[in-house]
Amino acid sequence: MGNIDDARAWIAQDPDPVTRAELDALVAQVEAGEDAAAADLAERFSGRLEFGTAGLRGELGAGPMRMNRVLVAQAAAGLAAYLLAREPHPSAVIGYDGRHNSAVFARDSAAILAGAGVQATILPRPLPTPVLAFAVRELRVSAGIMVTASHNPARDNGYKVYLGGADGGSQIVAPADGEIAAEIVRAATVPFAQHPTSSDVHTADEALIDEYVRRTAEVAGEPAPLRYVYTPMHGVGREVAEKVFGSAGFAAPIIVAAQGDPDPDFPTVAFPNPEEPGAMDLAFQAARDADADLVIANDPDADRVAVGVPDPETRGGWRRLTGNEVGWLLGWRAAREHDTGTLACSIVSSPALREVARVRGLDFVETLTGFKWISRASRLIYGYEEALGYLVDPGKVRDKDGISAAVAVLSLFSELRATGETLESHLDHFALEFGAFSSAQISIRVADLAEIPRTMARLRADPPTEVGGIPVDGVDDYLLGVDGFAANDILRLRLAGGGRVIVRPSGTEPKLKCYLDASSREGSATERRAAAAASVATLEAGMQALLG
């Protein structure tokens, strides 16, 4: 009866009639002897969503293992206690996207922070995550909260936390995550209605959004007359992105009409992530219809950007550039614009950026995955990770920003047009100066989360000696500490010929991810690119076989 008692206690404090009714119905089913309902109820009360460096993220619903108003109130109260222990008069800014319950979670958080004595500011409407990250620095607040699940499925929501001050507006890292989590656990002993609240919450001025637009437009070079398609993928990026593109001098984009307005159900895509197969199909169709030069796609909270280009050899005539291709091209652009500074990327991103930094005489930093690490690189001028995240103006934000990155992409294509160069010739020039690099990713989505640690344990216990016929020269287990990094659930296979395979669980989705990289510095640009691509294809087939 323990789970039923827990559920009734939760119902008694839950202010949301939807989740109360959901849990009432589940309890009734359990009492009627339904085994599936009993298992569902037991899972919902088997623990609580873990608060970590990515904050909170999970499926909407009732209970401590779901995202809901009770859990968010506990998170807000815990964060307030953490901030008040650090400084006497803390402040926070709260943003939110267009997902189900995002606005409610944001307003609850603002009221609880204010009730605890934290000066709270809330953004005026659903806005991109980069606007919130900018607000943390621009308003010089102690912390920022962004209510978003980014590119997760429609049933999810999340809660990201940034710290100002010495942290510079970056997402939290240890030990702050553990300290906040401990305060949240203490706050969880207080019923929802007993958290002090206040209506003394300031709504951010439009001038804040205008300043983000102005500063982001400054990323642009000289615009060329490009025809480009833009999709916000049912998210909140369109309003701000269109303002930025116009302020930067670019023509108005062709909008993918079916995806142009916020819709928390993301009805035209299976997953609202530009990386997912099929997610950019409508954008590619719009590009074909308009005879466009390129496609720009933001994810729903606009902190990531994908780029599509014409490719006659691809089915449908268009392809998405990989996150690494965009990453090293923008890194090369940054290196041309700076004589000093640091280029940074995550360990799972292409080795190409390291080579750009070496050839151009810039510093290079490799970090664990996540912009919470990349954004902290000293003297940073540019950073990226292969999962479509790019930081092109670290003086403005300390997180990935899909809108400023889109401006940088439009500027790059403008520069190519002005010099009569094509993307293909530009990639050839890159291959000749730095070598050709190719990458691929295998993402295995699982229904049973336990399958991920089982697979990682199997690979550790019996690591492969070859992948697709390419010998494995060495295995690096990041749980044991590698290159000075803290222990992490990452496995790296170093291959003969300089290639590599990295395997790790996703930090935000129920996926196991494999990152495949190879390079070539022999022969012409065409030969180098072909050789690197062939090596990656071999690795991909080999890993597919190994992982079943």
Side-chain angles (χ1 to χ4, degrees):
M1 294 293 292
N3 289 327
I4 289 180
D5 292 341
D6 291 339
R8 286 179 173 147
W10 189 277
I11 291 166
Q13 67 163 320
D14 190 347
D16 188 335
V18 173
T19 45
R20 281 203 311 271
E22 175 187 312
L23 210 48
D24 269 329
L26 197 58
V27 167
Q29 291 167 352
V30 172
E31 291 178 328
E34 296 186 20
D35 291 342
D40 186 0
L41 189 67
E43 187 275 328
R44 289 169 185 254
F45 287 87
S46 61
R48 56 182 298 114
L49 284 183
E50 184 178 346
F51 184 91
T53 56
L56 294 168
R57 190 173 295 191
E59 185 177 349
L60 291 163
M65 289 294 288
R66 300 286 188 272
M67 285 293 297
N68 50 65
R69 292 183 67 186
V70 175
L71 197 79
V72 166
Q74 295 166 359
L79 177 61
Y82 170 82
L83 295 174
L84 287 161
R86 295 176 86 217
E87 55 183 293
H89 304 291
S91 54
V93 59
I94 302 101
Y96 55 100
D97 67 7
R99 284 177 175 267
H100 291 294
N101 277 6
S102 286
V104 175
F105 293 164
R107 288 193 291 267
D108 282 350
S109 296
I112 288 170
L113 286 164
V118 178
Q119 182 182 340
T121 298
I122 191 168
L123 297 187
R125 57 186 173 280
L127 286 163
T129 292
V131 175
L132 182 279
F134 169 74
V136 174
R137 290 172 64 85
E138 184 70 8
L139 300 179
R140 299 184 180 182
V141 293
S142 310
I145 296 168
M146 183 66 196
V147 182
T148 180
S150 191
H151 56 276
N152 274 39
R155 64 180 179 272
D156 291 354
N157 213 325
Y159 201 82
K160 292 170 65 172
V161 176
Y162 300 77
L163 290 179
D167 288 86
S170 295
Q171 288 185 62
I172 56 171
V173 295
D177 62 327
E179 293 167 356
I180 295 170
E183 294 290 357
I184 292 171
V185 171
R186 281 190 278 273
T189 63
V190 179
F192 181 93
Q194 293 181 27
H195 292 296
T197 61
S198 171
S199 61
D200 186 17
V201 175
H202 176 67
T203 299
D205 296 331
E206 286 296 321
L208 177 71
I209 295 99
D210 293 342
E211 183 63 8
Y212 172 87
V213 169
R214 186 189 71 79
R215 294 273 297 278
T216 305
E218 290 178 348
V219 171
E222 187 66 28
L226 299 171
R227 288 179 62 78
Y228 63 104
V229 167
Y230 172 74
T231 176
M233 207 151 288
H234 299 296
V236 295
R238 178 179 177 180
E239 174 206 344
V240 175
E242 286 189 304
K243 287 180 179 178
V244 169
F245 299 156
S247 296
F250 295 104
I254 299 157
I255 302 295
V256 179
Q259 299 175 338
D261 297 321
D263 187 329
D265 293 318
F266 311 115
T268 68
V269 292
F271 297 97
N273 178 354
E275 288 185 294
E276 291 283 349
M280 293 180 66
D281 285 355
L282 289 180
F284 288 156
Q285 183 59 55
R288 286 190 292 270
D289 294 343
D291 192 25
D293 299 306
L294 75 158
V295 168
I296 299 287
N298 281 138
D299 69 339
D301 69 327
D303 65 347
R304 301 171 193 248
V305 69
V307 181
V309 296
D311 183 351
E313 296 183 6
T314 299
R315 183 180 178 183
W318 281 78
R319 76 176 179 98
R320 178 179 65 81
L321 296 179
T322 69
N324 280 320
E325 285 176 310
V326 176
W328 72 57
L329 287 174
L330 293 184
W332 186 18
R333 183 174 184 265
R336 294 195 298 272
E337 295 179 342
H338 295 84
D339 295 325
T340 61
T342 300
L343 302 179
C345 67
S346 63
I347 59 172
V348 298
S349 300
S350 171
L353 194 66
R354 179 191 295 272
E355 187 65 8
V356 171
R358 186 191 69 80
V359 171
R360 291 299 177 117
L362 297 170
D363 295 333
F364 175 76
V365 171
E366 192 173 58
T367 75
L368 293 174
T369 55
F371 271 82
K372 57 184 173 284
W373 303 113
I374 294 170
S375 66
R376 285 177 160 81
S378 177
R379 302 170 64 239
L380 184 66
I381 58 173
Y382 170 77
Y384 96 96
E385 61 182 0
E386 52 71 45
L388 310 185
Y390 312 96
L391 175 48
V392 301
D393 52 351
K396 185 193 77 187
V397 295
R398 288 302 173 99
D399 196 6
K400 55 187 176 289
D401 182 345
I403 297 176
S404 61
V407 173
V409 168
L410 291 170
S411 298
L412 172 60
F413 276 77
S414 293
E415 292 158 10
L416 297 180
R417 175 154 294 184
T419 58
E421 195 174 1
T422 66
L423 176 63
E424 283 301 304
S425 66
H426 197 56
L427 290 169
D428 283 345
H429 291 154
F430 186 95
L432 290 172
E433 182 169 355
F434 306 108
F437 292 81
S438 185
S439 61
Q441 183 187 129
I442 301 170
S443 289
I444 302 172
R445 187 178 291 272
V446 299
D448 178 8
L449 285 175
E451 183 61 30
I452 292 176
R454 283 198 295 265
T455 302
M456 293 298 294
R458 175 168 58 84
L459 289 172
R460 285 190 167 93
D462 186 21
T465 58
E466 54 85 23
V467 179
I470 301 175
V472 175
D473 283 349
V475 179
D476 298 319
D477 186 351
Y478 282 70
L479 278 181
L480 305 178
V482 175
D483 298 336
F485 293 124
N488 239 272
D489 192 8
I490 299 169
L491 205 60
R492 179 172 65 188
L493 311 179
R494 289 180 279 107
L495 305 171
R500 72 178 190 191
V501 174
I502 297 177
V503 186
R504 75 172 184 98
S506 169
T508 57
E509 298 178 272
K511 289 181 176 180
L512 184 71
K513 291 190 170 185
C514 303
Y515 306 85
L516 319 172
D517 287 283
S519 61
S520 175
R521 292 170 178 80
E522 300 295 330
S524 66
T526 300
E527 290 167 338
R528 293 179 180 199
R529 291 175 64 188
S535 294
V536 162
T538 298
L539 294 178
E540 189 168 12
M543 285 306 295
Q544 291 279 14
L546 280 171
L547 296 171

